[in-house]
Each structure stands twice: as C-alpha cells, then as structure tokens.
Amino acid sequence: MRGEGFGSYYDDGQTVKKGELLLEFDRDLALKNGYKDTIVIFYTQPGRVEKISKISAGKIVEHGQKVADVRFK
C-alpha cells in the first residue's frame, strides 16, 4: 500500500507516554487490499526489554485491552 491509509504521530527521538497515539491505519482499506489486520508490537529500546509474557496468536483484541506484560531492565 506504500503508506496509503497510514498516519504516523511519532517523530524520531520523541519521548512517548502510555496511551499516546503513535500510528493509525485504515483497517477497511488494508483488508480490501488483501492484508490482515495483525497487531504489531515494537519497542524503541529493545535492549532494555528483560521479559515479555506469551502473546496468543489469533486472539481478537479490543482497543485499550492489554496484549502483553513487559518487564524492562
């Protein structure tokens, strides 16, 4: 889709807090183009991640619902 239907609200080096919007996408447009609406989790400082709880594949997640527990160093 080459960026079509996606909006970024994050700038490199920006400090972010829990609950801040970083990215949004047009789900219907993605599905129409043959893509799945899979959740992507990324960490801006992966070297600080000590442990991540298991994430169940195929589970439907609602907005605001916890996906995983993460412990940082």
Side-chain angles (χ1 to χ4, degrees):
M1 294 180 28
R2 306 212 188 282
E4 182 182 359
F6 289 83
S8 176
Y9 299 93
Y10 172 80
D11 293 318
D12 286 342
Q14 176 184 339
T15 300
V16 295
K17 296 177 182 149
K18 178 181 177 180
E20 288 185 330
L21 180 62
L22 301 178
L23 174 79
E24 64 182 359
F25 73 102
D26 184 333
R27 179 179 183 261
D28 293 333
L29 183 61
L31 293 172
K32 180 180 170 185
N33 281 280
Y35 294 97
K36 295 181 180 181
D37 56 346
T38 303
I39 293 175
V40 177
I41 300 173
F42 68 95
Y43 301 95
T44 58
Q45 297 177 340
R48 292 188 55 221
V49 175
E50 190 172 281
K51 184 177 182 180
I52 303 173
S53 65
K54 183 177 179 180
I55 300 171
S56 301
K59 182 178 175 185
I60 295 175
V61 179
E62 299 294 330
H63 176 76
Q65 185 178 2
K66 185 191 307 188
V67 176
D69 288 309
V70 181
R71 184 170 56 214
F72 295 96
K73 297 177 186 174

